[in-house]
């Protein structure tokens, strides 16, 4: 009945969009709910997008953002963890096995002397592509975001802590919605790796940038429910990677 038009919507626009005629278009791998509303009646269906390769989400910022983490294949997965400047995962994350540092211990204090990306060695404050986990593992123009690009997410997007229901216990994290064009990405609270375990899964997210400070610490995005900020951290910790496409 033309007097009662059908209103279509997609639960996750970074997975699939739907037009006014109900035509669904896949954007990136994942699962979303397509909803049809008409004259007070609501019907839904689940749509799964597969085998599209790695797409990107345009948030209207200076770079495009990957829909999921490096090491994942879906927005409901945490992905892998990388020490800063390392492009492969490890079973343990210690200062003593960090690729670009030499650790020395004096009683209870461990001091790191960095052998690359340090004021005293080369003065570099941004990763070379061969040491960039996103560039190395995905190629094709992908790389880790800079500290400034993470700051754009903080400055120009709305952040909503949410539970992304994957049919099991759900995945906690932030839905990041652009104030510029309304597109969104989901950043799961994947915690971090140190020594041989993962901590704070479901409570906080730690995402590495490709930038480091003059002191040698890496810049990264830190968040938990109710707060988020750009921060620095010790490079030997295992952080999540969310790639960007220039």
């Amino acid at each position: 009945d033309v007097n009662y038009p059908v209103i279509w919507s997609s639960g996750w626009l970074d997975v699939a969009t739907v037009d006014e005629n109900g035509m669904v278009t896949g954007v990136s791998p994942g699962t979303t709910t397509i909803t049809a509303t008409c004259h007070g009646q609501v019907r839904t269906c689940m749509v799964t997008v597969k085998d599209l390769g790695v797409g990107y989400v345009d948030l209207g910022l200076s770079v495009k953002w990957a829909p999921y983490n490096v090491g994942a294949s879906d927005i409901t997965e945490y992905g892998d963890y990388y020490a800063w400047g390392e492009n492969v995962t490890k079973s343990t994350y210690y200062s003593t096995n960090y690729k670009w540092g030499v650790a020395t211990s004096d009683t209870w204090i461990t001091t790191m002397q960095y052998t690359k990306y340090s004021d005293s060695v080369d003065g570099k404050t941004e990763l070379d592509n061969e040491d960039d986990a996103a560039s190395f593992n995905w190629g094709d123009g992908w790389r880790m975001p800079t500290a400034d690009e993470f700051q754009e997410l903080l400055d120009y997007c709305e952040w909503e802590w949410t539970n992304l229901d994957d049919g099991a216990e759900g995945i906690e994290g932030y839905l990041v919605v652009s104030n510029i064009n309304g597109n969104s990405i989901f950043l799961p609270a994947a915690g971090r790796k140190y020594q041989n375990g993962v901590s704070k899964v479901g409570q906080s997210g730690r995402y590495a940038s490709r930038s480091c400070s003059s002191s040698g610490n890496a810049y990264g995005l830190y968040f938990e429910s109710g707060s988020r900020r750009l921060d620095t951290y010790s490079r030997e910790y295992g952080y999540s990677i969310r790639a960007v496409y220039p």
Side-chain angles (χ1 to χ4, degrees):
D1 191 326
V2 294
N3 294 318
Y4 301 115
V6 178
I7 307 300
W8 296 90
S9 64
S10 170
W12 295 94
L13 294 175
D14 50 346
V15 173
T17 61
V18 58
D19 67 17
E20 60 185 8
N21 298 312
M23 177 66 71
V24 176
T25 301
V27 176
S28 61
T31 300
T32 186
T33 301
I34 302 298
T35 301
T37 304
C38 181
H39 194 44
Q41 299 296 310
V42 179
R43 297 291 184 271
T44 63
C45 69
M46 300 296 292
V47 172
T48 299
V49 179
K50 297 181 178 180
D51 300 328
L52 293 182
V54 182
Y56 56 72
V57 180
D58 182 3
L59 298 175
L61 305 176
S62 62
V63 291
K64 312 296 192 300
W65 288 81
Y68 47 82
N69 293 347
V70 173
S73 58
D74 189 276
I75 62 174
T76 61
E77 298 175 0
Y78 292 128
D80 292 328
Y81 303 82
Y82 295 86
W84 193 84
E86 296 185 2
N87 52 36
V88 296
T89 60
K90 301 184 292 190
S91 58
T92 60
Y93 291 75
Y94 287 96
S95 56
T96 52
N97 69 354
Y98 177 58
K99 181 177 181 179
W100 302 116
V102 177
T104 57
S105 296
D106 180 11
T107 312
W108 300 105
I109 300 175
T110 299
T111 302
M112 289 293 294
Q113 181 178 354
Y114 297 114
T115 59
K116 190 175 182 180
Y117 306 107
S118 167
D119 281 352
S120 62
V121 177
D122 53 20
K124 292 183 176 182
T125 58
E126 189 167 307
L127 288 174
D128 296 328
N129 283 341
E130 62 264 28
D131 301 322
D132 181 310
S135 179
F136 181 85
N137 287 284
W138 282 8
D140 194 30
W142 289 101
R143 60 170 174 80
M144 292 163 61
T146 65
D148 288 343
E149 288 158 355
F150 269 134
Q151 191 63 51
E152 285 187 334
L153 282 186
L154 294 169
D155 291 343
Y156 300 108
C157 296
E158 295 293 327
W159 291 63
E160 178 187 353
W161 187 265
T162 189
N163 184 303
L164 181 62
D165 184 6
D166 67 348
E169 296 180 355
I171 304 295
E172 300 281 340
Y174 268 109
L175 178 65
V176 183
V177 183
S178 170
N179 288 327
I180 298 172
N181 61 17
N183 291 339
S184 64
I185 58 174
F186 178 73
L187 296 175
R192 71 173 183 184
K193 269 198 171 183
Y194 186 60
Q195 298 182 356
N196 58 358
V198 184
S199 63
K200 302 293 186 178
V201 174
Q203 301 176 43
S204 70
R206 318 288 181 94
Y207 285 78
S209 79
R210 62 183 277 141
S211 308
C212 69
S213 67
S214 58
S215 65
N217 289 334
Y219 283 107
L221 175 68
Y222 170 84
F223 64 75
E224 57 188 13
S225 177
S227 68
R228 57 268 181 192
R229 66 181 183 271
L230 190 67
D231 208 347
T232 58
Y233 68 97
S234 297
R235 289 154 50 166
E236 62 267 26
Y237 290 120
Y239 269 39
S240 301
I241 304 293
R242 179 58 63 95
V244 296
Y245 192 88

